[in-house]
Amino acid sequence: MNACEYETEIAPGGHWSLRMRRGTEMRLTDSRGNANLGMLFYNPENLLERYNAPDTLKCQHTFKLTRGHCLYSDMGRIFASIVDDSLGWHETVCGNSRAEHVAQQWGCRDYQGDRNDWHQNGHDAFLVELAKYGLGAADMAANINWFSRVSTDESGNLQRVEGHSAAGSYVTLRFEMDTLVLLHACPHPLHRAPSYPRNPVHIALGKAAPVAEDDVCLNHCDENRRGFHNNLLYHLGG
């Protein structure tokens, strides 16, 4: 990021959405450690185009997200590239926490009765943001969970790796096309902490440097070069 032009913090259980322009960057920082930040992408000019987790993983032959990886739409274009990452592992297979999971794990609290001490869940947080753009549950795709890592036990069951992200861990996204970004700081669906996790995430926005020929994301694999080419055609109107 050349210079930070705007910064804010997503409070624990909070949610937000914004339009990121092509050629801008977003740096996410785990303020206290052990955070989870759910994120979804949509094309603001065509809301039917949205983030595609299966294509993102299979075309780059990976199960995790880290520096050098691109984040694909379901039309073969690249919403954003991961240009910097201190962790080396973020997951995009486990989806969202839901109201029933949160209530079972930490008890049911609502904003009307508990104000900022309530227990929000990722699914409902995304629904609130989706409604602002005329979208609903049918438009929700599999999301990214930044700062979270999962592993398997001997029976093949997924489990969240506790303590994966230390305070100050960060990841930086460069946006390759105009993108509607939805995000929340709600617990990961596999989080098993004894109390409701309250881990804020700092967000810094600014202009990105131009994509160079030796760019780590462009050159990560042949599929990424095709993705950047698809973006070029899209922006040329072809």
Side-chain angles (χ1 to χ4, degrees):
M1 185 181 300
N2 292 329
C4 175
E5 299 187 14
Y6 180 86
E7 52 190 323
T8 188
E9 185 173 83
I10 302 299
H15 46 85
W16 191 36
S17 57
L18 72 162
R19 180 169 175 162
M20 292 294 293
R21 297 288 185 178
R22 177 190 182 196
T24 59
E25 280 188 351
M26 173 185 289
R27 170 164 285 203
L28 309 170
T29 303
D30 185 349
S31 303
R32 299 178 190 167
N34 217 27
N36 179 73
L37 188 82
M39 186 173 285
L40 281 174
F41 300 135
Y42 297 81
N43 182 345
E45 304 301 330
N46 175 14
L47 292 171
L48 291 175
E49 183 178 6
R50 66 269 323 248
Y51 174 65
N52 189 299
D55 284 355
T56 294
L57 294 177
K58 71 183 182 182
C59 78
Q60 297 173 99
H61 304 284
T62 185
F63 184 71
K64 63 182 179 181
L65 297 175
T66 188
R67 180 175 181 266
H69 289 150
C70 295
L71 307 170
Y72 280 84
S73 82
D74 51 11
M75 296 186 181
R77 291 186 277 265
I78 298 172
F79 280 122
S81 302
I82 305 174
V83 295
D84 201 4
D85 176 28
S86 69
L87 276 177
W89 185 299
H90 305 265
E91 75 92 0
T92 185
V93 297
C94 291
N96 267 316
S97 57
R98 300 178 71 96
E100 55 270 28
H101 159 249
V102 169
Q104 180 181 17
Q105 191 73 24
W106 299 293
C108 184
R109 291 188 183 183
D110 58 34
Y111 184 77
Q112 287 74 18
D114 299 283
R115 292 297 187 261
N116 290 336
D117 289 328
W118 73 311
H119 293 168
Q120 177 63 298
N121 65 88
H123 182 264
D124 290 347
F126 273 150
L127 285 179
V128 172
E129 296 303 324
L130 285 166
K132 297 176 182 179
Y133 308 96
L135 303 174
D139 302 293
M140 199 179 303
N143 58 282
I144 302 167
N145 285 307
W146 299 112
F147 305 113
S148 290
R149 177 174 181 168
V150 294
S151 62
T152 56
D153 60 23
E154 293 181 355
S155 299
N157 300 307
L158 285 173
Q159 53 195 2
R160 182 178 177 273
V161 177
E162 186 67 22
H164 169 60
S165 179
S169 297
Y170 61 86
V171 59
T172 304
L173 309 179
R174 181 185 63 211
F175 285 85
E176 313 297 355
M177 58 187 287
D178 285 6
T179 303
L180 174 62
V181 182
L182 276 60
L183 48 89
H184 68 66
C186 296
H188 188 275
L190 299 181
H191 209 135
R192 298 295 182 261
S195 59
Y196 183 86
R198 299 193 179 278
N199 304 302
V201 174
H202 182 266
I203 299 177
L205 309 178
K207 298 290 179 62
V211 180
E213 187 57 33
D214 63 350
D215 184 77
V216 64
C217 302
L218 174 67
N219 294 294
H220 179 75
C221 61
D222 289 342
E223 187 63 34
N224 284 4
R225 281 194 168 272
R226 285 190 286 271
F228 275 93
H229 182 70
N230 290 342
N231 278 42
L232 176 62
L233 289 175
Y234 176 71
H235 291 119
L236 289 174

